[in-house]
Amino acid sequence: MKKIFLCFTIAAMFSIGAFAQAGMRLNGYALGVFNDKVDSYYDNTNYYSGTIKGGFLWGAGLEFMMAQNYGVEIIYMRQDTKAPITYYSGGVKNTNFDLGINYIMLGGTKYFRKPNSKVEGFGGAMIGVDAMSLKNPDNNKTTNKTFFAWGIRGGANIWASENVGIKLQAQLISAVQSVGGGFYFGTGGSSAGIATYSSMYQFGLGGGLVFKLGNHKK
Protein backbone atom coordinates (compact mmCIF):
# COMPACT_ATOMS: atom_id res chain seq x y z
CA MET A 1 0.00 0.00 0.00
CA LYS A 2 2.85 2.36 0.85
CA LYS A 3 4.56 1.78 -2.51
CA ILE A 4 1.30 2.33 -4.38
CA PHE A 5 0.70 5.60 -2.59
CA LEU A 6 4.27 6.77 -3.19
CA CYS A 7 3.86 6.13 -6.93
CA PHE A 8 0.57 7.99 -6.86
CA THR A 9 2.21 10.86 -4.97
CA ILE A 10 5.04 11.20 -7.48
CA ALA A 11 2.62 11.15 -10.40
CA ALA A 12 0.37 13.66 -8.67
CA MET A 13 3.32 15.95 -7.94
CA PHE A 14 4.31 16.15 -11.60
CA SER A 15 0.71 16.53 -12.72
CA ILE A 16 -0.26 19.32 -10.37
CA GLY A 17 3.13 20.97 -10.90
CA ALA A 18 2.40 21.23 -14.60
CA PHE A 19 -0.92 22.94 -13.92
CA ALA A 20 0.15 25.17 -11.05
CA GLN A 21 -0.97 28.71 -11.80
CA ALA A 22 0.35 30.78 -8.88
CA GLY A 23 3.77 29.39 -7.99
CA MET A 24 4.81 27.02 -5.23
CA ARG A 25 5.35 27.10 -1.48
CA LEU A 26 7.67 25.20 0.84
CA ASN A 27 6.07 24.55 4.24
CA GLY A 28 7.96 23.50 7.35
CA TYR A 29 5.99 22.00 10.25
CA ALA A 30 6.65 21.71 13.99
CA LEU A 31 3.71 20.70 16.17
CA GLY A 32 3.09 19.31 19.61
CA VAL A 33 0.65 16.37 19.61
CA PHE A 34 -1.40 15.14 22.55
CA ASN A 35 -1.71 11.68 24.10
CA ASP A 36 -4.15 9.24 22.51
CA LYS A 37 -5.76 6.33 24.35
CA VAL A 38 -5.93 2.97 22.51
CA ASP A 39 -7.55 -0.24 23.65
CA SER A 40 -9.01 -3.47 22.32
CA TYR A 41 -10.80 -6.28 24.18
CA TYR A 42 -11.76 -9.66 22.72
CA ASP A 43 -11.71 -11.81 25.86
CA ASN A 44 -9.76 -12.01 29.11
CA THR A 45 -6.69 -13.45 27.34
CA ASN A 46 -6.84 -11.22 24.23
CA TYR A 47 -6.73 -7.55 25.09
CA TYR A 48 -4.58 -4.46 25.47
CA SER A 49 -5.05 -0.98 26.86
CA GLY A 50 -2.75 2.00 27.03
CA THR A 51 -1.66 5.29 25.54
CA ILE A 52 0.23 6.51 22.51
CA LYS A 53 2.22 9.33 24.04
CA GLY A 54 2.20 12.79 22.57
CA GLY A 55 5.32 14.70 21.66
CA PHE A 56 7.01 16.48 18.79
CA LEU A 57 5.70 16.03 15.24
CA TRP A 58 7.84 17.57 12.51
CA GLY A 59 7.84 17.59 8.73
CA ALA A 60 7.72 19.49 5.49
CA GLY A 61 5.51 19.90 2.46
CA LEU A 62 5.80 21.11 -1.13
CA GLU A 63 2.66 22.99 -2.12
CA PHE A 64 1.54 23.79 -5.67
CA MET A 65 -0.71 26.84 -5.88
CA MET A 66 -3.41 25.96 -8.39
CA ALA A 67 -4.87 29.46 -7.95
CA GLN A 68 -4.17 32.42 -5.71
CA ASN A 69 -6.36 30.97 -2.95
CA TYR A 70 -6.06 27.20 -3.41
CA GLY A 71 -3.11 24.84 -3.06
CA VAL A 72 -2.37 21.11 -3.37
CA GLU A 73 0.45 19.82 -1.15
CA ILE A 74 2.65 16.73 -0.81
CA ILE A 75 3.39 16.34 2.94
CA TYR A 76 5.71 14.22 5.07
CA MET A 77 5.50 14.23 8.90
CA ARG A 78 7.42 12.18 11.48
CA GLN A 79 7.06 11.42 15.20
CA ASP A 80 9.13 9.16 17.47
CA THR A 81 7.26 8.32 20.65
CA LYS A 82 6.46 5.74 23.33
CA ALA A 83 3.36 3.62 23.94
CA PRO A 84 3.00 2.29 27.52
CA ILE A 85 0.58 -0.65 27.18
CA THR A 86 -0.96 -3.25 29.48
CA TYR A 87 -1.72 -6.49 27.64
CA TYR A 88 -2.10 -10.25 28.06
CA SER A 89 0.55 -12.62 26.68
CA GLY A 90 0.81 -15.71 28.88
CA GLY A 91 -0.12 -13.42 31.74
CA VAL A 92 -0.69 -9.71 32.28
CA LYS A 93 2.28 -7.63 31.14
CA ASN A 94 3.23 -3.96 30.96
CA THR A 95 5.55 -2.74 28.23
CA ASN A 96 6.66 0.69 27.09
CA PHE A 97 6.79 0.16 23.31
CA ASP A 98 8.90 2.26 20.91
CA LEU A 99 6.73 3.66 18.13
CA GLY A 100 7.78 5.44 14.95
CA ILE A 101 5.06 7.27 12.98
CA ASN A 102 5.51 8.45 9.38
CA TYR A 103 2.68 10.29 7.62
CA ILE A 104 2.80 10.65 3.83
CA MET A 105 -0.17 12.80 2.85
CA LEU A 106 -1.75 14.62 -0.06
CA GLY A 107 -3.55 17.76 1.11
CA GLY A 108 -5.82 20.39 -0.35
CA THR A 109 -5.93 23.86 1.24
CA LYS A 110 -8.25 26.83 0.79
CA TYR A 111 -6.87 30.27 1.70
CA PHE A 112 -8.69 33.40 2.87
CA ARG A 113 -7.01 36.80 2.86
CA LYS A 114 -8.26 40.40 2.92
CA PRO A 115 -6.62 42.88 0.53
CA ASN A 116 -3.35 44.30 1.92
CA SER A 117 -3.54 42.09 5.02
CA LYS A 118 -0.47 40.24 6.32
CA VAL A 119 -2.66 37.50 7.83
CA GLU A 120 -3.83 34.67 5.58
CA GLY A 121 -6.29 32.19 7.06
CA PHE A 122 -6.57 28.64 5.73
CA GLY A 123 -8.39 25.33 6.15
CA GLY A 124 -8.15 21.99 4.42
CA ALA A 125 -8.12 18.21 4.45
CA MET A 126 -5.52 15.47 3.87
CA ILE A 127 -5.50 11.81 2.83
CA GLY A 128 -2.61 9.38 2.65
CA VAL A 129 -0.85 6.67 4.63
CA ASP A 130 0.76 6.19 8.02
CA ALA A 131 3.84 3.94 7.94
CA MET A 132 4.30 2.76 11.53
CA SER A 133 7.18 0.92 13.17
CA LEU A 134 6.53 -0.83 16.50
CA LYS A 135 9.36 -2.26 18.65
CA ASN A 136 8.93 -4.33 21.78
CA PRO A 137 11.98 -3.59 24.01
CA ASP A 138 11.33 -6.78 26.01
CA ASN A 139 12.23 -9.05 23.09
CA ASN A 140 13.58 -6.56 20.49
CA LYS A 141 10.98 -7.64 17.92
CA THR A 142 9.96 -4.97 15.39
CA THR A 143 6.93 -4.84 13.11
CA ASN A 144 6.34 -2.39 10.26
CA LYS A 145 2.84 -1.76 8.92
CA THR A 146 1.19 0.84 6.67
CA PHE A 147 -2.36 2.12 7.18
CA PHE A 148 -4.78 4.51 5.51
CA ALA A 149 -4.74 7.96 7.13
CA TRP A 150 -6.80 11.13 6.88
CA GLY A 151 -6.63 14.55 8.47
CA ILE A 152 -8.11 18.03 8.76
CA ARG A 153 -6.36 21.28 9.63
CA GLY A 154 -6.80 25.02 9.94
CA GLY A 155 -4.87 28.09 10.96
CA ALA A 156 -3.17 31.18 9.61
CA ASN A 157 -0.01 32.32 7.85
CA ILE A 158 1.42 35.63 9.07
CA TRP A 159 3.58 37.07 6.30
CA ALA A 160 6.68 38.76 7.74
CA SER A 161 7.79 39.66 4.22
CA GLU A 162 6.65 39.10 0.65
CA ASN A 163 8.04 35.56 0.54
CA VAL A 164 8.46 34.39 4.17
CA GLY A 165 5.69 33.75 6.67
CA ILE A 166 5.08 32.24 10.11
CA LYS A 167 2.54 29.41 10.17
CA LEU A 168 0.11 28.80 13.06
CA GLN A 169 -1.82 25.54 12.75
CA ALA A 170 -4.16 23.12 14.51
CA GLN A 171 -4.73 19.68 13.02
CA LEU A 172 -6.23 16.25 13.59
CA ILE A 173 -4.79 13.15 11.89
CA SER A 174 -6.17 9.64 12.19
CA ALA A 175 -4.55 6.35 11.19
CA VAL A 176 -7.57 4.14 10.52
CA GLN A 177 -7.62 0.72 12.24
CA SER A 178 -3.94 1.16 13.02
CA VAL A 179 -3.87 -1.10 16.09
CA GLY A 180 -5.59 -4.46 16.06
CA GLY A 181 -5.64 -7.62 14.00
CA GLY A 182 -2.19 -8.15 12.48
CA PHE A 183 -0.53 -5.23 14.27
CA TYR A 184 -1.36 -4.96 17.93
CA PHE A 185 0.42 -4.21 21.15
CA GLY A 186 1.42 -7.56 22.64
CA THR A 187 4.25 -9.63 21.23
CA GLY A 188 5.71 -6.78 19.20
CA GLY A 189 5.27 -8.90 16.09
CA SER A 190 2.39 -9.89 13.84
CA SER A 191 -0.21 -11.92 15.68
CA ALA A 192 -3.75 -13.20 15.35
CA GLY A 193 -6.60 -13.43 17.80
CA ILE A 194 -7.65 -9.81 18.32
CA ALA A 195 -10.92 -9.34 16.49
CA THR A 196 -11.46 -5.64 17.18
CA TYR A 197 -9.54 -2.60 16.00
CA SER A 198 -8.62 0.77 17.42
CA SER A 199 -8.01 3.79 15.20
CA MET A 200 -5.41 6.32 16.28
CA TYR A 201 -6.32 10.00 16.57
CA GLN A 202 -3.61 12.63 17.00
CA PHE A 203 -4.54 16.25 17.71
CA GLY A 204 -1.71 18.74 17.32
CA LEU A 205 -1.04 22.44 17.83
CA GLY A 206 1.93 24.40 16.54
CA GLY A 207 3.06 25.88 13.29
CA GLY A 208 6.23 26.42 11.34
CA LEU A 209 7.44 28.50 8.43
CA VAL A 210 6.21 29.00 4.88
CA PHE A 211 8.32 30.15 1.91
CA LYS A 212 7.06 31.24 -1.51
CA LEU A 213 9.01 29.74 -4.38
CA GLY A 214 9.10 30.80 -8.01
CA ASN A 215 6.82 33.37 -9.59
CA HIS A 216 3.59 34.18 -7.79
CA LYS A 217 0.84 35.94 -9.68
CA LYS A 218 -0.72 38.88 -7.92
Side-chain angles (χ1 to χ4, degrees):
M1 183 177 179
K2 183 179 178 181
K3 291 181 179 179
I4 294 174
F5 185 80
L6 285 173
C7 292
F8 168 76
T9 299
I10 294 172
M13 183 172 62
F14 283 106
S15 298
I16 60 182
F19 290 99
Q21 299 295 313
M24 296 186 296
R25 296 181 180 185
L26 178 63
N27 298 303
Y29 297 100
L31 300 98
V33 295
F34 295 86
N35 293 350
D36 179 45
K37 181 177 174 59
V38 293
D39 59 74
S40 180
Y41 183 87
Y42 183 64
D43 58 37
N44 58 6
T45 60
N46 283 289
Y47 68 85
Y48 59 82
S49 178
T51 302
I52 295 177
K53 304 293 288 184
F56 180 60
L57 179 70
W58 59 271
L62 183 61
E63 185 173 14
F64 300 86
M65 301 303 295
M66 309 307 292
Q68 189 65 31
N69 60 350
Y70 183 75
V72 177
E73 184 179 8
I74 308 296
I75 309 160
Y76 171 78
M77 290 185 175
R78 168 80 182 185
Q79 181 192 6
D80 293 290
T81 188
K82 298 285 187 177
I85 301 292
T86 299
Y87 61 97
Y88 188 94
S89 179
V92 178
K93 295 184 179 181
N94 295 278
T95 300
N96 195 18
F97 292 89
D98 298 314
L99 185 62
I101 300 171
N102 298 274
Y103 292 111
I104 304 170
M105 310 290 282
L106 181 66
T109 305
K110 174 73 174 180
Y111 292 95
F112 310 88
R113 187 176 184 180
K114 293 182 178 180
N116 301 318
S117 175
K118 292 185 178 295
V119 180
E120 177 185 59
F122 64 84
M126 302 173 284
I127 60 170
V129 296
D130 179 9
M132 300 175 68
S133 175
L134 175 69
K135 180 179 180 181
N136 186 336
D138 296 340
N139 55 25
N140 290 319
K141 289 185 178 180
T142 300
T143 302
N144 299 291
K145 293 284 185 176
T146 302
F147 304 94
F148 172 75
W150 62 270
I152 55 175
R153 59 182 177 173
N157 294 325
I158 303 173
W159 292 100
S161 68
E162 182 67 24
N163 295 315
V164 180
I166 299 172
K167 182 182 293 292
L168 303 176
Q169 179 169 303
Q171 70 178 30
L172 173 67
I173 301 182
S174 174
V176 179
Q177 295 187 344
S178 55
V179 275
F183 182 53
Y184 72 92
F185 297 106
T187 65
S190 297
S191 300
I194 296 294
T196 59
Y197 293 82
S198 178
S199 294
M200 184 178 70
Y201 296 91
Q202 288 193 302
F203 179 72
L205 291 172
L209 296 173
V210 52
F211 304 91
K212 290 182 179 178
L213 306 175
N215 296 321
H216 287 253
K217 293 183 179 181
K218 298 293 185 180

